[in-house]
Amino acid sequence: MKRSPTPPREEVSYPMPEEPAEGAEGVIKISLRFPDGNRVTRRFLKSDPLKVLFDVAAATQKVHPDNLDLDSQFPRFTLRSKGLENKMETVDLHNSMLMVRVNSGGS
């Protein structure tokens, strides 16, 4: 009996937040390291809420932001524990490398 092909997984896309201009006032750089080893370094405003980091990771990984966690290696903490509406400047993320974890649960 011939099996019918599995339909391709529908790709979900999430909007990529706009990146501030190089040299703009209040700009910081943060790197995101994804599970596949790829790394993305982007500019953010210190006044941006932490949620923007999750939005960038979601747009890159094509998964819902709720299915992601971002971890700081030093000091060790999960960004979600800091509250997504807190500003980046309150968590001192300038020049940080954050590890992106995709939680099971799909997109």
Side-chain angles (χ1 to χ4, degrees), residues 1 7 12 14 21-22 36 45 50 62 64-65 67 72 81 84 89 92 106:
M1 182 171 161
V12 179
Y14 294 93
E22 181 95 34
D36 63 4
L45 294 174
L50 296 176
K62 296 182 171 83
H64 193 278
N67 291 334
S72 169
S81 70
L84 298 184
E89 63 192 338
D92 191 25

Side-chain angles (χ1 to χ4, degrees), residues 66-101:
D66 289 348
N67 291 334
L68 295 171
D69 275 315
L70 302 177
D71 300 322
S72 169
Q73 298 302 298
F74 188 79
R76 206 163 190 66
F77 64 87
T78 299
L79 225 52
R80 239 178 239 291
S81 70
K82 302 295 184 182
L84 298 184
E85 295 309 315
N86 276 326
K87 307 287 184 223
M88 291 189 198
E89 63 192 338
T90 64
V91 184
D92 191 25
L93 293 174
H94 183 58
N95 287 329
S96 291
M97 167 71 75
L98 301 174
M99 306 302 284
V100 178
R101 282 187 293 128

Side-chain angles (χ1 to χ4, degrees), residues 5 9 18 21 33 44 50 54 63-65 82 91-92 102:
R9 185 176 153 210
E18 194 169 319
R33 184 172 190 124
F44 299 89
L50 296 176
F54 285 83
V63 299
H64 193 278
K82 302 295 184 182
V91 184
D92 191 25
V102 179

